[in-house]
Amino acid sequence: MTVIDSTSRGDPARFRSFDELTQLLNAMPASAKDEGRVALLMRRREGGRRETLPIALLEPDDGVPGDAWSRSKHRNGDMQIAVMEKGVAELIANGQPLALFGDCLVLDLDLSAGNLPPGSRLRVGEALLEVTHEPHNGCQKYRGRFGADALRLVWMEELRHRNLRGIYMRVVTAGRVKLGDCVNVLSRAVAVSTKQAQFGT
């Protein structure tokens, strides 16, 4: 069994070109908007070692207990749980393990800003989660795992609303979450444009 940790790199043979990525993205079926499923539940142990979980108790203070975020001395509450959309993750991974992304949750649900603006709330298993305002950006490790063209794709300004790299959520109410659990959108916040946020209009 291959161990995936913070130093892991991807298989260059699996890296898709920019043209292939954009073509497949445009052809990808739309993800569910109101009700989905938990496709991956994971935590990052010491050294970033990925540990996939069949079940976890998500908590407001610790997020996913045992994850790197819960061990950090300088926690940013708006970056508690990193989340990716299943269809997008599978497209970019191209057969590589989804745990390679490092996101604690992969949901079979539309994570775009249009569907889940910051402040929106979801029931994930028994837990209540809220989408935060913190942007989820790709980094150089992302390039090493999925290629320069994948990083270019998730950074494209005209696609930023799709949240291809994912989003962050925080735990509002504790609850158990199991692989395959139902995910329900309970409320959607009103989307605020960058201009409105900047000038307070």
Side-chain angles (χ1 to χ4, degrees):
M1 182 178 178
T2 302
V3 175
I4 301 174
D5 59 23
S6 59
T7 66
S8 295
R9 297 178 64 85
D11 177 4
R14 294 282 184 176
F15 294 175
R16 284 179 156 146
S17 69
F18 184 76
D19 286 345
E20 185 180 11
L21 286 166
T22 53
Q23 289 171 9
L24 290 171
L25 181 67
N26 291 332
M28 188 175 73
S31 297
K33 294 186 177 298
D34 300 312
E35 182 177 316
R37 295 282 173 182
V38 176
L40 179 74
L41 178 58
M42 187 205 72
R43 62 184 170 191
R44 300 158 297 169
R45 304 308 297 261
E46 290 73 11
R49 180 173 55 83
R50 304 336 189 208
E51 181 182 11
T52 55
L53 304 168
I55 186 171
L57 176 62
L58 274 53
E59 300 177 343
D61 290 338
D62 289 330
V64 180
D67 180 57
W69 185 91
S70 69
R71 299 192 306 274
S72 174
K73 294 180 180 179
H74 306 287
R75 299 178 180 179
N76 180 346
D78 286 338
M79 299 175 71
Q80 191 178 59
I81 299 178
V83 186
M84 269 203 82
E85 184 174 329
K86 178 177 180 283
V88 175
E90 290 177 338
L91 185 155
I92 293 173
N94 191 22
Q96 298 187 90
L98 299 189
L100 189 59
F101 285 100
D103 297 66
C104 290
L105 284 174
V106 175
L107 304 181
D108 193 3
L109 188 75
D110 180 354
L111 300 185
S112 68
N115 192 51
L116 293 178
S120 300
R121 291 192 168 190
L122 304 86
R123 179 72 63 189
V124 181
E126 298 174 351
L128 177 62
L129 305 186
E130 182 176 277
V131 179
T132 77
H133 292 266
E134 193 73 28
H136 191 4
N137 300 317
C139 61
Q140 292 309 309
K141 287 184 178 180
Y142 192 88
R143 179 199 299 266
R145 291 166 183 163
F146 306 107
D149 286 339
L151 183 62
R152 176 186 170 192
L153 182 78
V154 301
W155 268 101
M156 286 183 65
E157 186 62 33
E158 56 267 42
L159 292 177
R160 291 294 284 176
H161 68 284
R162 295 282 301 271
N163 289 327
L164 298 178
R165 178 59 193 94
I167 60 178
Y168 285 105
M169 297 185 187
R170 67 181 185 89
V171 181
V172 178
T173 305
R176 296 187 184 280
V177 176
K178 301 191 303 293
L179 189 65
D181 264 353
C182 190
V183 178
N184 293 104
V185 178
L186 301 181
S187 65
R188 290 182 173 90
V190 177
V192 178
S193 70
T194 304
K195 185 176 180 179
Q196 288 175 318
Q198 183 177 358
F199 295 103
T201 59

